[in-house]
Amino acid sequence: ILQRNELSDRALRLTATCLYMNPANYSVWHFRRLCLDAVYQDASSLSHALLADLELAASLGGDNPKNYQIWYHRRALLERLSDSLSASHVGAELEYIDTVMAIDGKNYHAWSHRQWVISTFNKDEVWKQELKNADLLIGKDVRNNSAWNHRWFISHRGKQGDESILSAETAAA
């Protein structure tokens, strides 16, 4: 299918089979995204297929929480969906990340993806909730440098800084 550049429903199903055998194969993930674009021509069916593919990535990610290719695929799908994503979709992605971090609170790929989601979809209520989440994680494990790094990231709102948070931080010190 690669040599023929067969971008079909059959090729899409075959990529799923290949990914169940080896979810670390970047080329298969890339070809899968090409198949999704080719098979689902209209925006509505493509959005539905991309959301379904997030579920596929989640099912494959369960046994492979540190597999970069799965995290990259999730990001690529979310980028494609960015115009049609609702707050509940963003919340669902953060919940997925929470399930991964419940297993390993120091999973670099999960933290990196979380920060990308928060800064990309940039909702005030999410930034505020994230500060509370970081404090909870630090309370569970004060040595979790990833949670401390995330707290700094949230306190500085990426690179912009949030004066109300920064003022509260310095007043508490």
Side-chain angles (χ1 to χ4, degrees):
I1 64 170
L2 284 172
Q3 286 180 339
R4 294 182 192 158
N5 198 31
E6 181 186 326
L7 302 173
S8 65
D9 188 51
R10 182 182 85 92
L12 187 62
R13 289 190 313 272
L14 184 55
T15 61
T17 300
C18 292
L19 290 168
Y20 277 107
M21 289 191 257
N22 180 10
N25 189 320
Y26 176 81
S27 296
V28 176
W29 284 109
H30 175 72
F31 193 74
R32 181 169 183 80
R33 287 189 295 277
L34 295 175
C35 287
L36 285 166
D37 287 338
V39 170
Y40 299 99
Q41 295 286 320
D42 67 281
S44 172
S45 60
L46 179 61
S47 288
H48 181 71
L50 295 175
L51 289 170
D53 230 54
L54 283 171
E55 293 300 317
L56 171 70
S59 71
L60 290 167
D63 292 335
N64 304 282
K66 293 186 177 181
N67 179 323
Y68 174 75
Q69 290 81 358
I70 293 173
W71 290 106
Y72 182 84
H73 186 68
R74 294 187 75 80
R75 180 176 177 162
L77 296 175
L78 290 167
E79 285 174 341
R80 295 288 313 280
L81 287 163
S82 64
D83 293 339
S84 62
L85 281 179
S86 67
S88 66
H89 290 119
V90 174
E93 188 65 11
L94 292 174
E95 286 174 19
Y96 170 72
I97 298 166
D98 285 341
T99 63
V100 171
M101 289 198 297
I103 298 164
D104 179 4
K106 298 173 185 175
N107 181 326
Y108 172 80
H109 298 301
W111 282 109
S112 177
H113 187 67
R114 185 177 204 94
Q115 290 181 353
W116 175 82
V117 168
I118 292 163
S119 58
T120 299
F121 299 104
N122 200 17
K123 303 285 183 206
D124 286 335
E125 61 275 6
V126 174
W127 287 99
K128 290 176 185 168
Q129 183 59 44
E130 282 300 303
L131 188 59
K132 293 175 188 173
N133 289 346
D135 287 340
L136 286 171
L137 289 168
I138 291 167
K140 287 181 182 176
D141 179 4
V142 73
R143 292 180 184 91
N144 185 341
N145 289 334
S146 298
W148 281 106
N149 178 56
H150 189 62
R151 191 177 194 292
W152 184 93
F153 176 82
I154 297 302
S155 297
H156 292 80
R157 196 147 189 179
K159 294 180 181 175
Q160 300 168 4
D162 183 329
E163 288 302 319
S164 64
I165 293 173
L166 297 176
S167 296
E169 291 287 308
T170 54

